[in-house]
Amino acid sequence: FAPDMIHSNHLWMATAVAREVAPHVPLVTTCHGSCLRQHRLCPELGASLKGSLCGIDRIIALFGQQKTDIVELLGIDPDRVDVISGGFNELCFYAEEDESDSDAAQLLYAGKLDSSKGVPWLLRSLKRVEAPWHLHLVGAGSGSEKELCLDLAASLGGRVTVHGVLSHEKLGGLMRRCDIFVLPSFFEGLPLVLLEAMACGCRIVTTDLPGARELFAEPHPHMVRMVELPRLETVDRPYKADEPLLENRLAEALEKSILHVMEGVRPDEEYIRRITEPFTWEKIFLRIEGVYNRAALEK
């Protein structure tokens, strides 16, 4: 097997090994953010990989701040780092005419069921929201963190539907039936699920993450609400004393978005088109193809 190009994911162990065993094959690596989190959590292991990681021909960062972090972490030439976000499948994630006649706003969270994604704070914050809502919870988890999320969901009774893991096709269908997508995460790379949800017509409530800020650099008075994070003790956990602060901020943002829904304020279709159009798979692939060509020519 003699590939013309290797495209790996994550600035971590598998990529380091790929560089070592195939030093003469052009290597392109996409950073998704979790690898940078690993470098912070396991610095000694990360340091042992840096020599090999510096030999990557081209790195794809998902947003500008991530490129800065990569350059600082590896000491790599910034000209070898391209900023290209992820893309979404427009065949699964698209809007259609809303025929909902629900007497409650339909909220959706999709992702891992654990604390680093902020799910417990979301579920606790909903107890403070007086406007009518129903939450759809999509995703998997493991261990005590998953059990905590499910216990908190159960405490909210019939106002929460737990769906488990859904295919992209089914998730897209659920997004089209929902009004608001909420991402209360403490740490993300580029949260593609926000683009997928918006492409389906959802309003967005998200914590103020660097990737989300770049996606929604053009603000909107009711389509996107950014929730300020409290102080973080680690990369993905707040100080215990500040936890109620996040719950209050989430509840306030959700209350405002829900009231817009109940008042009949329609999603801004033109804004949705402007935000999502650059991130279709076709548009993103054309940019990735350019990286492949540069890596091959430079090698």
Side-chain angles (χ1 to χ4, degrees):
F1 180 58
D4 299 307
M5 181 85 55
I6 296 172
H7 188 160
S8 69
N9 291 280
H10 304 293
L11 298 167
W12 200 238
M13 289 185 281
T15 293
V17 172
R19 180 73 298 172
E20 292 163 10
V21 301
H24 304 300
V25 179
L27 174 61
V28 174
T29 302
T30 297
C31 172
H32 298 275
S34 56
C35 50
L36 300 181
R37 176 174 177 267
Q38 289 295 84
H39 277 282
R40 296 185 185 107
L41 293 174
C42 312
E44 291 183 6
L45 179 54
S48 73
L49 305 173
K50 285 184 181 179
S52 298
L53 296 177
C54 285
I56 299 168
D57 295 289
R58 298 207 71 85
I59 296 173
I60 296 174
L62 297 177
F63 52 93
Q65 181 58 52
Q66 193 179 82
K67 173 176 178 174
T68 300
D69 293 343
I70 292 167
V71 170
E72 291 178 354
L73 174 72
L74 298 181
I76 198 166
D77 183 350
D79 289 340
R80 287 163 56 197
V81 184
D82 300 277
V83 177
I84 304 175
S85 79
F88 71 94
N89 184 354
E90 61 270 37
L91 299 179
C92 296
F93 302 102
Y94 56 87
E96 60 186 12
E97 196 65 32
D98 180 20
E99 299 177 0
S100 173
D101 57 356
S102 174
D103 56 0
Q106 302 298 302
L107 315 182
L108 172 62
Y109 167 82
K112 192 173 182 182
L113 301 182
D114 74 4
S115 296
S116 69
K117 297 292 186 179
V119 179
W121 289 269
L122 166 63
L123 292 165
R124 286 191 285 260
S125 75
L126 286 169
K127 294 181 179 180
R128 307 168 188 245
V129 177
E130 296 181 3
W133 56 267
H134 185 95
L135 174 67
H136 299 269
L137 208 56
V138 175
S142 61
S144 60
E145 301 229 335
K146 175 187 175 184
E147 293 306 315
L148 171 62
C149 294
L150 294 179
D151 288 345
L152 288 170
S155 73
L156 295 168
R159 303 182 78 182
V160 179
T161 301
V162 178
H163 294 267
V165 178
L166 297 180
S167 67
H168 276 184
E169 291 81 2
K170 290 183 178 179
L171 178 58
L174 180 58
M175 284 176 169
R176 284 187 285 279
R177 299 197 300 274
C178 288
D179 304 297
I180 301 165
F181 185 88
V182 55
L183 182 68
S185 183
F186 297 111
F187 182 90
E188 293 283 341
L190 186 92
L192 278 181
V193 69
L194 296 180
L195 286 172
E196 293 166 346
M198 178 163 278
C200 292
C202 291
R203 298 158 179 83
I204 302 297
V205 173
T206 179
T207 39
D208 189 8
L209 303 164
R213 282 199 299 274
E214 292 206 21
L215 283 179
F216 304 119
E218 178 188 345
H220 194 284
H222 68 83
M223 287 301 299
V224 179
R225 296 189 190 280
M226 307 286 276
V227 177
E228 182 185 356
L229 281 170
R231 299 175 305 147
L232 297 181
E233 185 173 11
T234 67
V235 293
D236 56 11
R237 191 170 296 271
Y239 286 95
K240 189 74 174 174
D242 291 347
E243 290 182 6
L245 200 59
L246 178 59
E247 292 169 25
N248 286 334
R249 289 171 181 170
L250 279 169
E252 182 181 351
L254 288 167
E255 185 94 41
K256 289 178 179 177
S257 290
I258 292 169
L259 288 175
H260 271 115
V261 172
M262 303 313 295
E263 290 166 359
V265 179
R266 303 287 299 168
D268 186 335
E269 295 179 6
E270 176 58 26
Y271 179 80
I272 290 171
R273 185 196 62 76
R274 286 202 306 274
I275 294 298
T276 62
E277 190 175 52
F279 300 99
T280 62
W281 272 1
E282 182 178 4
K283 297 275 181 68
I284 295 298
F285 175 72
L286 289 174
R287 298 181 66 192
I288 293 174
E289 187 179 36
V291 174
Y292 290 166
N293 289 334
R294 286 194 292 277
L297 286 172
E298 291 164 0
K299 199 72 172 178

